[in-house]
Amino acid sequence: MPRDAFSHVTTWVFDLDQTLYPPSARLFDLIEARMVDWVMQAIKVDRDRANHLRLHYWQTYGTTLAGLMREHGVDPGPYLTDVHDIPMDRLTPDPALARAIRALPGRRIVYTNGCAPYAERVLAARGLSGLFDAVYGVEHADFLPKPERAAFDKVFAIDGFETRAAAMFEDDPRNLAAPHAMGMRTVHVAPERGEGDHIHYHTEDLCDFLIRVSG
């Protein structure tokens, strides 16, 4: 991987779930279970139907919340508080990843489809608190989810960085399409590479990738 491909990068944007911690932690299983409970209560359906809608809305709108808001008028505030009220004992600190992030030159931010308070809890559990200049959640995009271009536009406008001098790290390949169109370097962080020309690089080991970029 050519290190000079990232030599122009002055802002490093990281997704949160399954990007800054490994998928093997299965933290999102806990969130999904709470999502199903919320869908059951909010629109009065049984568990099987609720689980179907949870996945359908995620596939169609980018997040389950977006589907609930658009099709059922669900208030996002209580939903976000409830579904992210999970224990963090599946996560462990990662000192090597912390060192690799700290070594990156320039601005470092987190942008998640979850809420910012949840993101802060995850970062604390991973030993990554204090490494990022800003943490943005879906609330900063007026509850528009990635992969919608308008969501990226809103969050990136708040931060004010130059997208052509930035890189985006994501586990969901759908969420790299807009950053690619905005001129960002895109890195898919997952066990297997997603398809599409909007993915510049792939890694299953974020720490190792960051060391090779900045080391």
Side-chain angles (χ1 to χ4, degrees):
M1 182 199 69
R3 187 177 301 170
D4 59 7
F6 291 81
S7 62
H8 68 295
V9 173
T10 57
T11 302
W12 308 80
V13 185
F14 295 88
D15 175 50
L16 181 77
D17 287 308
Q18 302 189 125
T19 299
L20 290 177
Y21 64 81
S24 59
R26 303 192 68 84
L27 192 67
F28 215 74
D29 289 358
L30 303 177
I31 296 174
E32 288 178 349
R34 297 188 72 88
M35 287 179 177
V36 171
D37 289 342
W38 186 272
V39 174
M40 289 176 64
Q41 297 169 15
I43 61 178
K44 310 303 181 187
V45 294
D46 64 26
R47 183 168 296 278
D48 286 344
R49 179 61 176 167
N51 190 47
H52 169 78
L53 290 174
R54 174 196 63 78
L55 180 60
H56 171 67
Y57 291 156
W58 175 77
Q59 292 172 334
T60 304
Y61 297 107
T63 62
T64 300
L65 173 60
L68 290 171
M69 291 176 65
R70 294 186 189 188
E71 298 200 13
H72 305 282
V74 165
D75 181 354
Y79 170 92
L80 288 169
T81 298
D82 187 77
V83 302
H84 291 114
D85 184 19
I86 60 171
M88 294 289 152
D89 54 1
R90 295 187 179 191
L91 301 180
T92 56
D94 190 337
L97 179 59
R99 288 192 297 271
I101 292 172
R102 187 179 293 111
L104 294 173
R107 187 168 176 79
R108 304 178 293 264
I109 70 175
V110 171
Y111 173 29
T112 174
N113 268 343
C115 58
Y118 161 73
E120 295 284 8
R121 293 177 61 220
V122 170
L123 295 177
R126 290 288 282 157
L128 304 178
S129 295
L131 296 179
F132 296 95
D133 298 283
V135 176
Y136 299 109
V138 68
E139 66 269 37
H140 294 99
D142 295 333
F143 303 104
L144 289 174
K146 299 181 281 185
E148 289 192 31
R149 170 66 183 262
F152 290 94
D153 286 339
K154 286 178 180 291
V155 169
F156 293 173
I158 292 171
D159 201 83
F161 65 84
E162 171 53 55
T163 56
R164 293 191 176 276
M168 181 85 196
F169 297 81
E170 260 278 359
D171 73 299
D172 188 337
R174 299 178 302 171
N175 297 343
L176 291 172
H180 178 271
M182 300 166 84
M184 299 174 69
R185 281 281 183 267
T186 58
V187 184
H188 185 209
V189 183
E192 297 183 3
R193 182 182 181 126
E195 297 182 357
D197 294 339
H198 63 289
I199 298 173
H200 291 133
Y201 296 96
H202 165 262
T203 183
E204 57 182 329
D205 187 334
L206 176 62
C207 182
D208 177 68
F209 188 92
L210 296 179
I211 290 171
R212 288 188 287 128
V213 166
S214 64

